[in-house]
Amino acid sequence: DGRLFLRELKGEQLRLRMTGMDWPLHGLTMVGLDRLDDLQACVESVVAEGVDGDLVEAGSWRGGASILMRATLDSLGADERTVWVADSFQGLPAPNPDVAPEDHELDLSHVDFLAVPAEEVGGYFARFGLEHGVEFVEGFFDQTLPALRGHRWSVIRLDGDTYEATWVALESLYPGLSAGGYLIVDDYGLIDECQRAVDDYRRAHGITEQIERIDWTGVRW
């Protein structure tokens, strides 16, 4: 009916939203401003330096971080790059102790708030006029991400939370990361299982690039 409602956050609510420490009821991302600013800077860097490859987010929720990547590319005229948005779009699977016993205490499968249908996420891209140059990869990571092996990436952003999801994403995507590109992990400082998967993968593959802290939870190298 043409009316517009604005919810203004103040005090502690505003601090939690800015730092990405809450789950916003209507916002398109849980990511705090420092992580969003850093993500934008990473996209600007790979375009300015001519680092080869598309951009991918594994674990998109409502799509806010991927929307920012597409918008940043558009602002720089980098229309030849595609943003790949990988998510189950139905929340997280129950942990499989036979595959990743490290996740036995981390079961997020019952959290319906994390399930956002692909059609809804696509609508958020369209709201900003950013539905072009986007590829959706729908399904649980172990079923979808291995098919992306061999693809070239300039920015990889991981937000899968669990050990298994993080490991599968690294195993499937990291070998395609171009020199000069960025590997970003959203929950390294928050979720022990995620951090363990990253550390185990780096150790197993002899990755020695220094991990740089973005904020209280996000890191990249």
Side-chain angles (χ1 to χ4, degrees):
D1 60 5
R3 289 181 295 175
L4 178 67
F5 294 88
L6 173 66
R7 178 175 178 237
E8 183 179 358
L9 300 180
K10 297 182 179 180
E12 182 66 5
Q13 285 187 326
L14 179 60
R15 186 189 72 82
L16 292 175
R17 180 80 297 273
M18 290 179 64
T19 54
M21 291 183 171
D22 66 349
W23 287 9
L25 184 60
H26 299 295
L28 299 186
T29 180
M30 300 180 190
V31 180
L33 289 180
D34 285 343
R35 272 171 282 158
L36 291 174
D37 286 344
D38 188 76
L39 177 60
Q40 178 179 335
C42 288
V43 177
E44 292 170 344
S45 174
V46 298
V47 173
E49 298 293 331
V51 178
D52 185 41
D54 288 339
L55 298 79
V56 59
E57 181 175 39
S60 65
W61 194 48
R62 292 177 182 157
S66 291
I67 289 171
L68 174 62
M69 290 196 289
R70 181 69 265 168
T72 304
L73 291 173
D74 284 5
S75 74
L76 300 172
D79 299 332
E80 75 285 358
R81 299 181 191 247
T82 299
V83 174
W84 296 70
V85 185
D87 201 288
S88 73
F89 301 103
Q90 54 184 299
L92 277 74
N96 185 342
D98 295 330
V99 175
E102 296 85 356
D103 287 328
H104 73 281
E105 294 184 354
L106 182 63
D107 185 359
L108 300 173
S109 62
H110 61 283
V111 184
D112 294 338
F113 189 70
L114 300 176
V116 185
E119 296 77 13
E120 182 177 334
V121 177
Y124 296 139
F125 277 87
R127 178 191 295 179
F128 293 98
L130 298 170
E131 62 269 39
H132 58 279
V134 178
E135 291 285 345
F136 287 89
V137 182
E138 186 171 357
F140 293 124
F141 288 173
D142 63 334
Q143 302 166 359
T144 59
L145 295 188
L148 297 180
R149 288 173 178 163
H151 204 90
R152 180 61 59 188
W153 310 107
S154 57
V155 176
I156 300 171
R157 185 176 190 277
L158 306 185
D159 195 357
D161 297 356
T162 67
Y163 185 100
E164 180 183 0
T166 303
W167 180 274
V168 170
L170 285 167
E171 194 174 52
S172 302
L173 303 176
Y174 187 75
L177 184 64
S178 295
Y182 295 93
L183 190 289
I184 304 167
V185 185
D186 188 80
D187 289 311
Y188 186 86
L190 175 65
I191 300 178
D192 291 341
E193 290 81 359
C194 171
Q195 182 175 136
R196 196 176 313 144
V198 171
D199 293 345
D200 287 351
Y201 184 87
R202 283 170 54 93
R203 188 180 307 111
H205 293 273
I207 300 171
T208 58
E209 282 82 4
Q210 182 179 354
I211 292 178
E212 300 182 37
R213 187 165 295 280
I214 301 169
D215 64 358
W216 63 279
T217 183
V219 300
R220 61 171 165 83
W221 72 85

